[in-house]
Amino acid sequence: MVKTLLKFARDEVLLPLVKRPRRLQVAALCLRNGDGGREVLLITSRGTGRWILPKGWPEKGTDAAGTALREAWEEAGVKRATTHPSPVGQYTSEKHNDGGLVLPCDVLVFRVDVHEMTRDYPERGQRKLVWVAPGDAADMVAEHGLKTILRAHKPA
């Protein structure tokens, strides 16, 4: 009886308090045709400086693809682009908030074909950005699922 109560307390009370549910973020897989072929836009995160895609939290009143495009503008200066309405993939990530809390996230990735960039955007100077071949981008990012998505966008 005591074992059953302890198991119940652990599984039904304690674990739900400690284990955080996954949150949803959306990311922009920004692509362009460069001199050497297809290129992917990577930016650095503000906290750790890791290479990532522009991404953020969904916004009420905006669909996920539209939110991905907004993040690409705010974080990297994508001014004019064509956004595809269906995600090209999904991966898992961990978001570290300002208090140090780790939030597990599912990230939906939307393809954004970039036509024009601007040098004047909200997070200018807070991040580095680079255009690289999809295979090189896959080698630069940390998340396994994102590596897979990037490698799938290598030119044939």
Side-chain angles (χ1 to χ4, degrees):
M1 173 78 163
V2 172
K3 273 187 169 179
T4 303
L5 286 174
L6 289 175
K7 183 179 181 332
F8 176 81
R10 182 194 72 205
D11 294 348
E12 302 298 324
V13 178
L14 185 59
L15 285 179
L17 290 174
V18 180
K19 186 176 179 183
R20 302 217 176 269
R22 291 192 184 281
R23 304 270 315 266
L24 178 67
Q25 287 196 303
V26 294
L29 175 60
C30 297
L31 300 170
R32 74 174 185 187
N33 291 320
D35 293 336
R38 181 178 291 162
E39 296 177 326
V40 173
L41 175 66
L42 293 180
I43 63 171
T44 55
S45 67
R46 287 189 293 188
T48 63
R50 294 178 304 112
W51 290 106
I52 61 171
L53 297 179
K55 65 181 169 59
W57 306 110
E59 278 197 7
K60 200 172 202 168
T62 305
D63 67 5
T67 298
L69 181 59
R70 181 187 46 78
E71 293 296 331
W73 173 73
E74 287 179 0
E75 297 179 356
V78 172
K79 183 174 181 178
R80 205 169 48 83
T82 304
T83 307
H84 298 254
S86 298
V88 296
Q90 177 179 332
Y91 68 97
T92 59
S93 178
E94 291 183 341
K95 175 80 173 173
H96 299 262
N97 73 7
D98 294 338
L101 186 64
V102 177
L103 302 170
C105 296
D106 288 323
V107 183
L108 289 178
V109 180
F110 291 86
R111 179 176 170 164
V112 174
D113 294 321
V114 177
H115 308 298
E116 184 181 353
M117 302 281 292
T118 183
R119 293 178 189 261
D120 185 23
Y121 54 96
E123 295 185 17
R124 181 175 157 240
Q126 298 177 31
R127 304 170 184 274
K128 294 178 185 174
L129 62 96
V130 65
W131 287 96
V132 294
D136 294 338
D139 292 339
M140 294 168 70
V141 299
E143 295 87 355
H144 176 73
L146 180 52
K147 290 176 180 290
T148 302
I149 292 168
L150 291 167
R151 287 191 179 107
H153 283 82
K154 286 173 73 168

